Amino acid sequence: MKIKNQLQGLPPYQPGKSMEEVKQQYGLTDVIKLASNENPYGSSPTVKKAIVQVLDQLELYPDGYARILRKEVARHLGVKETQLLFGNGSDEVIQILCRAFLSAETNTVMAAPTFPQYRHNAVIEGAEIREIPLVDGCHDLSSMLAAIDEQTRIVWVCNPNNPTGTYVDEQQLSAFLQQVPKHVLVVLDEAYYEYVTAEDYPETVPLLNEYHNLMILRTFSKAYGLASLRIGYGVANEALIQQVEPAREPFNTSSVAQAAALAALSDQTFIQQCVSKNKQELEKFYRFCQEHRLSYYPSETNFILIDFGIEGNRVFQYLLEKGMIVRSGNALGFPTSVRITIGSEEQNQKLFQVLGQMLKETQLV
């Protein structure tokens, strides 16, 4: 048997160690996970109640069109219900777009480093990948524009960017969109949208009326705290959604996920509380870095990328043995950095203590 050439040598996604694995390996009773940008405060209390109500219907297929959730998301965004495309996490929407637009005769443009699933799915479709290096951790939009040609089908803009937490502001985005050719789909991945507090961050949904080659991605995995249920969506011009929809698998979002997302969406007070606490705790990370003269990127997300000046794997391993799971920058394109999710006050205080001890031991202070 012979698989597609593109899959040969393509590494599968490698999940980090689970909390239980770390406990067993290092003889720990308590482990804190700050590696995957999950919400440390969980999800709205209304979510569990909503899930219980659908547990007696697990023998039934879910609503493949997600009608009830679709109606409420459309209302929340101020768009038509026909402007939405739901996926098994926004990851699947990325996969759907690559399936719909990319082939061996096309190319796609993205920043580097950025969210790796853009590249991963483009490789599978056999498309040429044009990666434009970040400048000071930010998208180099002018160079991305220069990389576009007649064979370009998708340009990806992760905003805020993962793993740096930086963002493209309103003025930059407007100038960029005006220059992108109409045959190119611009995908704005706003997975961390709810966490953004910058005043000049662009409100992109109204732009859909002007740019029919624009799609916005959002998710319930981050601020809404539903990462394990896998549900996200894309929002775009109605005609674009209709063209892409056939590439979506039927029943791709579960009844449990739809019910949970519906409940989570209805509790915006919970989201506001999470965002406020995230901002407060993020400021503590800034102060810690400044006190220890560590470089970092100011973040508009619930994570921060910190440059420790030593091998990121070394920092990762030190923290792992102390019961703290973070993400080494080695796999993210920043070999001397570590990406850390902003945890709760208690989690962060413990992290600062462990990091302070590590810096003393490595004589970095």
Side-chain angles (χ1 to χ4, degrees):
M1 294 184 290
K2 185 175 177 58
I3 62 172
K4 294 171 69 172
N5 290 334
Q6 299 93 293
L7 290 176
Q8 296 183 21
L10 181 65
Y13 177 77
Q14 296 291 339
K17 290 181 179 292
S18 69
M19 296 171 70
E20 289 303 317
E21 285 181 292
V22 174
K23 286 179 182 180
Q24 294 178 9
Q25 184 172 358
Y26 298 104
L28 302 169
T29 55
D30 184 36
V31 170
I32 297 173
K33 184 186 177 190
L34 300 173
S36 302
N37 310 332
E38 297 142 334
N39 188 340
Y41 311 107
S43 56
S44 166
T46 63
V47 167
K48 291 182 180 179
K49 297 177 183 178
I51 289 175
V52 169
Q53 292 178 2
V54 299
L55 291 182
D56 289 334
Q57 301 176 352
L58 297 183
E59 76 281 5
L60 302 177
Y61 282 106
D63 176 3
Y65 195 61
R67 285 172 176 79
I68 299 176
L69 177 61
R70 179 180 297 272
K71 179 179 179 180
E72 289 307 307
V73 171
R75 183 194 60 78
H76 178 71
L77 297 177
V79 300
K80 298 178 181 178
E81 296 176 27
T82 48
Q83 288 184 254
L84 296 169
L85 174 69
F86 287 92
N88 190 255
S90 55
D91 282 3
E92 191 194 20
V93 182
I94 292 168
Q95 183 186 54
I96 290 170
L97 293 176
C98 288
R99 174 187 286 183
F101 284 92
L102 300 181
S103 65
E105 296 76 31
T106 66
N107 68 69
T108 180
V109 177
M110 63 194 70
T114 192
F115 186 53
Q117 289 306 106
Y118 314 146
R119 187 183 203 283
H120 184 87
N121 284 287
V123 168
I124 292 174
E125 299 302 329
E128 177 192 351
I129 298 161
R130 299 181 176 179
E131 295 179 298
I132 309 302
L134 299 173
V135 175
D136 296 327
C138 300
H139 282 67
D140 182 356
L141 295 180
S142 60
S143 294
M144 292 175 70
L145 280 169
I148 295 173
D149 62 21
E150 288 300 318
Q151 283 69 50
T152 305
R153 294 295 177 267
I154 305 178
V155 175
W156 307 89
V157 180
C158 188
N159 197 32
N161 188 47
N162 181 3
T164 57
T166 57
Y167 72 103
V168 174
D169 67 33
E170 185 176 10
Q171 184 176 0
Q172 293 169 328
L173 180 63
S174 177
F176 177 73
L177 290 175
Q178 290 173 26
Q179 298 177 74
V180 175
K182 300 304 181 185
H183 74 274
V184 177
L185 174 66
V186 178
V187 180
L188 297 178
D189 188 346
E190 298 183 343
Y192 298 92
Y193 170 82
E194 289 79 12
Y195 285 111
V196 176
T197 59
E199 293 184 359
D200 58 350
Y201 182 83
E203 275 301 333
T204 51
V205 171
L207 296 175
L208 296 172
N209 294 324
E210 182 177 358
Y211 298 101
H212 292 181
N213 61 330
L214 175 64
M215 178 172 283
I216 302 161
L217 305 185
R218 293 189 184 168
T219 183
F220 286 96
S221 295
K222 303 303 180 185
Y224 287 97
L226 303 181
S228 69
L229 294 181
R230 312 307 302 127
I231 187 163
Y233 60 91
V235 54
N237 174 267
E238 187 175 12
L240 175 58
I241 294 293
Q242 289 178 350
Q243 289 179 310
V244 172
E245 182 73 27
R248 179 183 65 84
E249 296 294 333
F251 312 117
N252 62 328
T253 60
S254 72
S255 298
V256 174
Q258 291 178 31
L262 185 65
L265 185 67
S266 70
D267 191 354
Q268 290 300 310
T269 299
F270 173 80
I271 298 299
Q272 293 166 7
Q273 292 171 346
C274 291
V275 171
S276 177
K277 287 185 282 189
N278 180 76
K279 188 66 174 179
Q280 292 173 12
E281 294 303 311
L282 181 59
E283 291 293 334
K284 295 179 183 178
F285 275 85
Y286 293 161
R287 290 197 292 270
F288 178 87
C289 291
Q290 291 160 6
E291 290 170 4
H292 295 88
R293 294 188 287 277
L294 298 171
S295 298
Y296 64 93
Y297 291 111
S299 176
E300 289 294 330
T301 67
N302 68 331
F303 64 82
I304 185 170
L305 186 70
I306 303 174
D307 189 345
F308 288 90
I310 58 175
E311 189 73 14
N313 284 345
R314 182 178 169 189
V315 179
F316 166 82
Q317 188 61 35
Y318 184 95
L319 292 175
L320 191 68
E321 294 176 11
K322 303 293 184 182
M324 315 201 80
I325 309 173
V326 297
R327 186 77 188 273
S328 171
N330 285 68
L332 303 175
F334 293 88
T336 60
S337 298
V338 168
R339 192 192 69 190
I340 304 173
T341 302
I342 309 303
S344 66
E345 180 178 14
E346 182 181 0
Q347 290 173 332
N348 296 334
Q349 187 58 41
K350 182 174 181 180
L351 175 72
F352 294 147
Q353 293 173 354
V354 174
L355 283 176
Q357 183 62 38
M358 183 200 75
L359 293 172
K360 290 180 181 178
E361 292 178 12
T362 55
Q363 299 182 337
L364 291 178
V365 295

